[in-house]
Amino acid sequence: MKINYFFRHPKVGHSIHRVFRTLIGEVNKSVDTIIYEVPSPGSMPSSVIRNVWYTYKKRDKDVIHHVTGHIHDVLLALIGVKTVLTVHDLVFLDNVKNPFKRLYKWLFWLYFPIKIADVVVCISNQTKQNISGKIKTDKLTVIHNAIDPIFIPEEKFFNKETPVILHIGTGWNKNLGRTIEALSGISCHLRIIGKLKESQIALLGKYDIDYSNQSNLTDEGIKDEYKNCDIVNFPSMYEGFGMPVIEGQKTGRVVITSNIEPLVEVADGAAVMVDPTDVDSIREAYENVISNEVYRLDLIAKGFKNAERFSVENIAKQYIELYKTLE
């Protein structure tokens, strides 16, 4: 068995690369793999044509082709060969208001790719349900993301007086604004990972938040951020999966996240669940975690157990079994 993995251009982002690099390393122990990255980071017609042509030149009737996400339109080059498509989320549709752009993306990023693929892997049940609401298909299966083995339990004395609260991401969906407002008056240090906008910096000043900021971290750098924090904060408004939840759990940190899917599915009762639209709900979560040691330790213990579901060995086994159905 041979698998060709196709990735988006690295300039678009490293999150998919990071998740699948972990998986491919494990799959490669029993299966021959090759990794390809499409040559263009753009989404204009010229870039799409370039990426589709590149993919077409790599097609092989004796190989399983796995498009790892985001570049769904390259499946146009894979008609007639064995193909797996992983869909992470439908943010490319859910956030588009222009009806013409929405139709274009529905056709070339969803409808045609799903019609062409032999199997479509959804990284959560929420993504599967979202796709099922937009197109009828029996090709969908759920395989979660794998956690990188670099994340290991790290003991740390909880700083009750001034806990370090780690917030991953500064995009619209990461809910940094309400986080800042909810932390007003709470003694803590907010550690923000991601490039800050001027409006976010102004909000931090308005609410007098003690904070620091870092971006473009290596994998080891990210690991250290989890190791050095007391609380992992992830009250997102929208996610396809939510890796920080299980990365925090695996490290041994209490996690605060949203009571929305797929975060409820991923956390599985081992995190503090908040209403991401309610500042008071988020604030109450911080206060409970900081003040209640029994509650905090119980969540950490449950988190360790939950993270086992996402081990790279477990997820790789599921993918290998899937590939075998296409041989």
Side-chain angles (χ1 to χ4, degrees), residues 219-231:
D219 290 349
E220 284 294 329
I222 289 287
K223 174 188 173 183
D224 287 342
E225 295 294 341
Y226 284 102
K227 177 182 176 180
N228 295 331
C229 79
D230 295 288
I231 299 169

Side-chain angles (χ1 to χ4, degrees), residues 109-128:
W109 286 30
L110 188 67
Y111 181 80
F112 288 135
I114 287 178
K115 290 295 183 182
I116 293 166
D118 293 292
V119 181
V120 178
V121 175
C122 308
I123 63 170
S124 69
N125 284 296
Q126 169 66 15
T127 297
K128 180 181 178 180

